[in-house]
């Protein structure tokens, strides 16, 4: 189960459904009661309630800035 509390700005999430552009990766623009996401392919932005987002996420890819070589 995805924990929304672990999601932060600039993390990338993979959704179960593809965007019409064929992409299913989204960058988190802002978090809160509603999350704002930006499609990493076509740059379309969407705003969705946290609960809706939690159901649509397949996996999370952290922006992973802590282990830079
Ligand atoms: Zn898109």
């Amino acid at each position: 189960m995805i924990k929304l509390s672990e999601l932060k700005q600039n993390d990338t999430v993979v959704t179960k459904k593809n965007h019409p552009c064929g992409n299913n990766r989204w960058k988190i623009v802002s978090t809160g009661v509603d999350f704002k996401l930006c499609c990493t392919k076509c740059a379309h932005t969407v705003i969705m309630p946290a609960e809706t987002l939690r159901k649509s996420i397949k996996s999370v890819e952290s922006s992973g800035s802590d282990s830079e070589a």
Side-chain angles (χ1 to χ4, degrees), residues 19 21 23 39 41-42 44:
H19 193 233
C21 76
N23 180 51
C39 178
K41 183 174 177 186
C42 72
H44 180 81

PDB file of all heavy atoms in Angstrom, residues 19 21 23 39 41-42 44, ligand 1:
ATOM      1  N   HIS A  19      -1.890   8.072 -19.131  1.00  0.00           N
ATOM      2  CA  HIS A  19      -2.431   9.319 -19.641  1.00  0.00           C
ATOM      3  C   HIS A  19      -2.700   9.115 -21.131  1.00  0.00           C
ATOM      4  O   HIS A  19      -2.045   8.292 -21.771  1.00  0.00           O
ATOM      5  CB  HIS A  19      -1.372  10.423 -19.410  1.00  0.00           C
ATOM      6  CG  HIS A  19      -1.906  11.804 -19.606  1.00  0.00           C
ATOM      7  ND1 HIS A  19      -1.311  12.713 -20.439  1.00  0.00           N
ATOM      8  CD2 HIS A  19      -2.977  12.405 -19.061  1.00  0.00           C
ATOM      9  CE1 HIS A  19      -2.024  13.843 -20.394  1.00  0.00           C
ATOM     10  NE2 HIS A  19      -3.019  13.677 -19.562  1.00  0.00           N
ATOM     11  N   CYS A  21      -1.628  10.543 -23.522  1.00  0.00           N
ATOM     12  CA  CYS A  21      -0.396  10.705 -24.297  1.00  0.00           C
ATOM     13  C   CYS A  21       0.443   9.433 -24.267  1.00  0.00           C
ATOM     14  O   CYS A  21       1.464   9.355 -24.939  1.00  0.00           O
ATOM     15  CB  CYS A  21       0.402  11.899 -23.794  1.00  0.00           C
ATOM     16  SG  CYS A  21       1.275  11.582 -22.252  1.00  0.00           S
ATOM     17  N   ASN A  23       1.863   8.074 -21.548  1.00  0.00           N
ATOM     18  CA  ASN A  23       2.792   8.062 -20.427  1.00  0.00           C
ATOM     19  C   ASN A  23       2.062   7.680 -19.139  1.00  0.00           C
ATOM     20  O   ASN A  23       0.876   7.940 -18.992  1.00  0.00           O
ATOM     21  CB  ASN A  23       3.376   9.482 -20.307  1.00  0.00           C
ATOM     22  CG  ASN A  23       4.358   9.601 -19.175  1.00  0.00           C
ATOM     23  OD1 ASN A  23       5.280   8.818 -19.053  1.00  0.00           O
ATOM     24  ND2 ASN A  23       4.144  10.585 -18.318  1.00  0.00           N
ATOM     25  N   CYS A  39       2.402  15.533 -15.859  1.00  0.00           N
ATOM     26  CA  CYS A  39       2.787  14.429 -16.734  1.00  0.00           C
ATOM     27  C   CYS A  39       4.222  14.655 -17.209  1.00  0.00           C
ATOM     28  O   CYS A  39       4.543  15.733 -17.715  1.00  0.00           O
ATOM     29  CB  CYS A  39       1.826  14.350 -17.918  1.00  0.00           C
ATOM     30  SG  CYS A  39       2.226  13.072 -19.106  1.00  0.00           S
ATOM     31  N   LYS A  41       5.712  13.433 -19.658  1.00  0.00           N
ATOM     32  CA  LYS A  41       5.893  13.396 -21.107  1.00  0.00           C
ATOM     33  C   LYS A  41       5.323  14.637 -21.790  1.00  0.00           C
ATOM     34  O   LYS A  41       6.007  15.305 -22.552  1.00  0.00           O
ATOM     35  CB  LYS A  41       5.242  12.139 -21.685  1.00  0.00           C
ATOM     36  CG  LYS A  41       5.457  11.992 -23.180  1.00  0.00           C
ATOM     37  CD  LYS A  41       4.930  10.664 -23.681  1.00  0.00           C
ATOM     38  CE  LYS A  41       5.083  10.563 -25.197  1.00  0.00           C
ATOM     39  NZ  LYS A  41       4.448   9.353 -25.710  1.00  0.00           N
ATOM     40  N   CYS A  42       4.050  14.943 -21.483  1.00  0.00           N
ATOM     41  CA  CYS A  42       3.412  16.037 -22.208  1.00  0.00           C
ATOM     42  C   CYS A  42       3.237  17.290 -21.344  1.00  0.00           C
ATOM     43  O   CYS A  42       2.727  18.285 -21.808  1.00  0.00           O
ATOM     44  CB  CYS A  42       2.079  15.592 -22.786  1.00  0.00           C
ATOM     45  SG  CYS A  42       0.793  15.377 -21.552  1.00  0.00           S
ATOM     46  N   HIS A  44       1.216  17.978 -19.071  1.00  0.00           N
ATOM     47  CA  HIS A  44      -0.151  18.265 -18.646  1.00  0.00           C
ATOM     48  C   HIS A  44      -0.208  18.165 -17.121  1.00  0.00           C
ATOM     49  O   HIS A  44       0.404  17.287 -16.534  1.00  0.00           O
ATOM     50  CB  HIS A  44      -1.085  17.235 -19.280  1.00  0.00           C
ATOM     51  CG  HIS A  44      -2.526  17.406 -18.918  1.00  0.00           C
ATOM     52  ND1 HIS A  44      -3.336  18.323 -19.533  1.00  0.00           N
ATOM     53  CD2 HIS A  44      -3.291  16.784 -17.990  1.00  0.00           C
ATOM     54  CE1 HIS A  44      -4.554  18.243 -19.007  1.00  0.00           C
ATOM     55  NE2 HIS A  44      -4.556  17.326 -18.070  1.00  0.00           N
TER      56      HIS A  44
HETATM   57 ZN1  LIG B   1       0.646  13.147 -20.719  1.00  0.00          ZN
END
